[in-house]
Amino acid sequence: YNLTENSIVEISLLDILGKEITLFKSNQSSGKHELAINSNDLNLAKGMYFVKLKMNEEQKTIKLILR
């Protein structure tokens, strides 16, 4: 993800039942950032999840399918 300004960033993972796991929450500087998600570390079952990215007042959600 790319930040155009310094932002408070929160990245969460939601399962299809709406259970939410916060993966990351921190102040970050502007620029390009990456976050790797290891499904084994989180004990995630195969299936569909949603990754929610909140940056200050903006929010984006993407679909993630684990196979």
Side-chain angles (χ1 to χ4, degrees), residues 5 31 67:
E5 62 184 12
R67 296 180 183 196

Side-chain angles (χ1 to χ4, degrees), residues 23-65:
L23 302 175
F24 180 84
K25 185 174 184 178
S26 178
N27 277 322
Q28 290 196 312
S29 59
S30 61
K32 186 175 181 179
H33 300 271
E34 293 183 12
L35 176 70
I37 300 171
N38 185 331
S39 62
N40 293 326
D41 290 346
L42 298 172
N43 294 320
L44 299 175
K46 294 178 182 180
M48 184 169 51
Y49 295 86
F50 296 94
V51 179
K52 182 170 66 173
L53 173 61
K54 291 168 68 174
M55 305 166 287
N56 291 337
E57 301 301 318
E58 184 179 350
Q59 180 175 305
K60 294 182 181 184
T61 304
I62 60 168
K63 182 168 57 171
L64 173 70
I65 298 176

